Amino acid sequence: MKKYIYFSIIISTSILFYSCKHDDKTIYPMECSTKNISQLKRQIVETGDTSAYDDLSILLMDYEYGDEELLSYAWIMANKYDYAQAYFDVFDCLTVPYLSDIRQIDSMTAQLAIKYLLIAAKKGHLQSSEIIASDTISENGQDPIGQLCKIFQ
């Protein structure tokens, strides 16, 4: 039994130390959440680096207000660099605060969320395409709040 515990401690420690590698420079877990995030943000804004964006979105999942912070970078990646995943993330970030009761969303935010969902689907984002197909969502469809209610029912 002690062998298994010892073995799992070694494996867990190894995974932690090697889980945050970037540009052949190891960034240890405690540094991963601070040093690396500012570098990723800079790469997103300056060059539209999709790998940096994907890494940032994963890192921000661990933070309580990660969605709120991700929205700014999703907005940049969608509007400036035309990245399909970012269009979906804008949709997601706009709707997350209302998941407990989507009917509380205002119509302007709902319309914007639907617009970004549709663009993501047009850009080939699979999850967006599936949502639109299964819930018959369209920009000229029923009221946007009603459409979001269909998606999140």
Side-chain angles (χ1 to χ4, degrees):
M1 183 70 169
K2 286 185 180 182
K3 256 195 239 182
Y4 294 113
I5 294 173
Y6 181 71
F7 182 71
S8 34
I9 290 172
I10 289 173
I11 295 296
S12 299
T13 306
S14 298
I15 290 171
L16 280 174
F17 284 115
Y18 293 106
S19 67
C20 223
K21 247 184 166 230
H22 190 66
D23 295 335
D24 295 327
K25 178 185 173 193
T26 301
I27 299 171
Y28 295 96
M30 295 305 284
E31 299 170 354
C32 187
S33 58
T34 54
K35 267 189 184 175
N36 207 19
I37 288 179
S38 60
Q39 180 183 3
L40 294 172
K41 289 176 179 179
R42 188 172 50 259
Q43 289 173 308
I44 290 166
V45 173
E46 292 174 1
T47 65
D49 185 332
T50 57
S51 294
Y53 176 78
D54 293 339
D55 290 348
L56 180 68
S57 66
I58 290 167
L59 286 171
L60 290 178
M61 282 184 207
D62 293 336
Y63 293 99
E64 184 177 354
Y65 300 106
D67 287 331
E68 294 166 9
E69 190 168 351
L70 181 62
L71 179 57
S72 301
Y73 297 94
W75 194 266
I76 291 167
M77 287 298 292
N79 295 330
K80 186 175 181 181
Y81 298 108
D82 205 29
Y83 184 43
Q85 179 63 48
Y87 284 104
F88 179 77
D89 290 343
V90 169
F91 162 79
D92 190 50
C93 291
L94 291 173
T95 56
V96 161
Y98 300 100
L99 289 181
S100 62
D101 186 3
I102 198 67
R103 294 170 296 171
Q104 296 301 313
I105 196 169
D106 62 278
S107 63
M108 185 178 280
T109 304
Q111 188 174 9
L112 190 59
I114 294 291
K115 176 182 176 180
Y116 276 78
L117 178 67
L118 291 167
I119 294 170
K122 287 177 190 168
K123 300 283 177 194
H125 187 265
L126 183 62
Q127 189 176 1
S128 300
S129 300
E130 290 171 354
I131 291 170
I132 289 167
S134 66
D135 295 309
T136 59
I137 304 300
S138 70
E139 208 162 358
N140 300 325
Q142 70 182 48
D143 73 300
I145 296 172
Q147 290 189 67
L148 288 177
C149 287
K150 285 170 51 177
I151 292 170
F152 294 106
Q153 61 182 344

